[in-house]
Amino acid sequence: ETDDGTTDDGTTDDGTTEETTEETTETTGEGACSVPDPGWGGTASVGGAAPQFAGLNQHGEEFSICDYEGFPIAIDTSAVWCGPCQDLSLCLGGDDAKCIALFGGNPDIPNILTTPLRNAIAAGQFGWITVLTENAGGGAPSQADVTAWDTNYMAIPEVIVTADEAQNYYTHLPIMQFPSVWMIDANMNNFAPP
């Protein structure tokens, strides 16, 4: 008999078999959100619950959007072939010239927006996830695209880069251009301005 009350044949002291179950959804375990996952069905709506997803980041490490529950998150949908997407990533990495160009040539952008944003991301007060939705040819991206993206268009280390290999965002978000940024509030809802 073992210390946990089961015998060597897998039965408990009273002769019954002990059963265990495991959840197998993408967001179980340490990274599981405390709010229900609405899944990918339907189109995103302002104020509605954001779908929960997990995957591999640019370093091949597992992450979950639920890791960011409790503070705001930006989901940046980008495509490998998209020049402005590449520039946004470089802007997040500290290239102020790219930031100024992206925001209409305003030389004050680094002081009023991008530097404070980078600082908030680095301090863990704001999450940023770049989701690659297309590869260089317009098809589904792969982990190799994610790794190459991080090498070529490196943002600050706290920015997560991942691939939407199933291309779920096309049916969920109204993506009209790249990059598109969708905000999620601290309660894991699609951001609704006050």
Side-chain angles (χ1 to χ4, degrees):
E1 189 173 311
T2 60
D3 291 338
D4 64 359
T6 60
T7 62
D8 291 336
D9 66 359
T11 59
T12 62
D13 291 339
D14 65 3
T16 60
T17 303
E18 206 174 309
E19 292 184 31
T20 60
T21 58
E22 277 186 45
E23 273 187 77
T24 57
T25 59
E26 290 184 330
T27 54
T28 59
E30 224 174 275
C33 291
S34 66
V35 296
D37 181 5
W40 288 104
T43 303
S45 61
V46 174
Q52 299 166 17
F53 63 92
L56 296 178
N57 68 15
Q58 63 268 38
H59 307 293
E61 302 162 340
E62 291 186 23
F63 81 96
S64 168
I65 191 172
C66 299
D67 297 339
Y68 299 94
E69 185 176 12
F71 57 95
I73 310 163
I75 303 295
D76 149 31
T77 55
S78 289
V80 173
W81 52 261
C82 168
C85 302
Q86 298 162 4
D87 290 347
L88 178 59
S89 188
L90 292 168
C91 170
L92 288 171
D95 187 334
D96 287 338
K98 295 287 185 190
C99 299
I100 291 167
L102 274 172
F103 291 95
N106 183 342
D108 294 328
I109 282 297
N111 295 327
I112 62 174
L113 178 64
T114 57
T115 299
L117 176 62
R118 286 190 296 258
N119 291 342
I121 294 168
Q125 300 165 340
F126 188 86
W128 191 286
I129 302 173
T130 297
V131 179
L132 298 179
T133 58
E134 290 186 3
N135 64 21
S142 68
Q143 187 63 29
D145 293 313
V146 169
T147 302
W149 181 272
D150 187 55
T151 300
N152 296 320
Y153 315 110
M154 189 182 303
I156 59 174
E158 294 81 8
V159 170
I160 297 294
V161 183
T162 192
D164 181 11
E165 294 176 8
Q167 294 185 308
N168 288 317
Y169 274 101
Y170 281 116
T171 57
H172 185 70
L173 293 178
I175 298 174
M176 304 255 194
Q177 64 186 24
F178 290 108
S180 290
V181 179
W182 194 261
M183 300 298 297
I184 299 173
D185 69 19
N187 298 315
M188 301 303 289
N189 293 313
N190 297 316
F191 181 70

